[in-house]
Amino acid sequence: DYLALLDTGAAYSVISAEVAESLGDELGPSVHHLTISTRHGSMAGELYRISATLLSDEGHGRDLKIESTFLVINDWPGPVVLGFKGLLERVCITIDPGASRDESPMLFFGPVS
């Protein structure tokens, strides 16, 4: 399990080589080479199709397993990033900011119907 940064402005979801290694045989072959511009500068990597699971909080729904595309950048210095192409475009998301300032915001998600 990894915590991830939900970035609706990111074109692609990104993981480091270290995270990719933890996937083992689930990673499969690269489908495309890509260079992107990030806040860390231009970075090159390989796109892979990955079955990702968005975990729900206990008692607040079900986990969502979704076929997605991630860019694996060997020296990625940031967190796991959930971006638009290949992942967020396949998920319906709603954010509830909470009824009062004492409540934490909640994120609701489900498959695109």
Side-chain angles (χ1 to χ4, degrees):
D1 297 354
Y2 291 94
L3 289 177
L5 171 70
L6 176 70
D7 187 346
T8 58
Y12 293 92
S13 297
V14 180
I15 58 175
S16 66
E18 180 182 335
V19 173
E21 285 176 19
S22 72
L23 298 172
D25 293 337
E26 293 179 47
L27 195 59
S30 168
V31 295
H32 188 66
H33 180 80
L34 185 68
T35 300
I36 61 171
S37 177
T38 76
R39 64 186 174 107
H40 303 291
S42 290
M43 303 191 88
E46 300 291 326
L47 286 173
Y48 291 88
R49 302 226 192 281
I50 298 172
S51 179
T53 303
L54 301 179
L55 302 175
S56 66
D57 287 339
E58 188 174 329
H60 288 32
R62 298 182 307 222
D63 298 346
L64 177 63
K65 190 171 190 171
I66 186 161
E67 293 303 315
S68 54
T69 305
F70 276 81
L71 181 63
V72 177
I73 298 176
N74 287 334
D75 53 349
W76 177 246
V80 172
V81 175
L82 304 181
F84 189 75
K85 290 183 182 177
L87 188 115
L88 295 179
E89 67 184 348
R90 298 179 175 144
V91 180
C92 289
I93 299 172
T94 299
I95 300 172
D96 180 352
S100 71
R101 292 180 184 216
D102 297 334
E103 295 179 4
S104 296
M106 293 195 67
L107 179 72
F108 298 92
F109 54 82
V112 173
S113 53

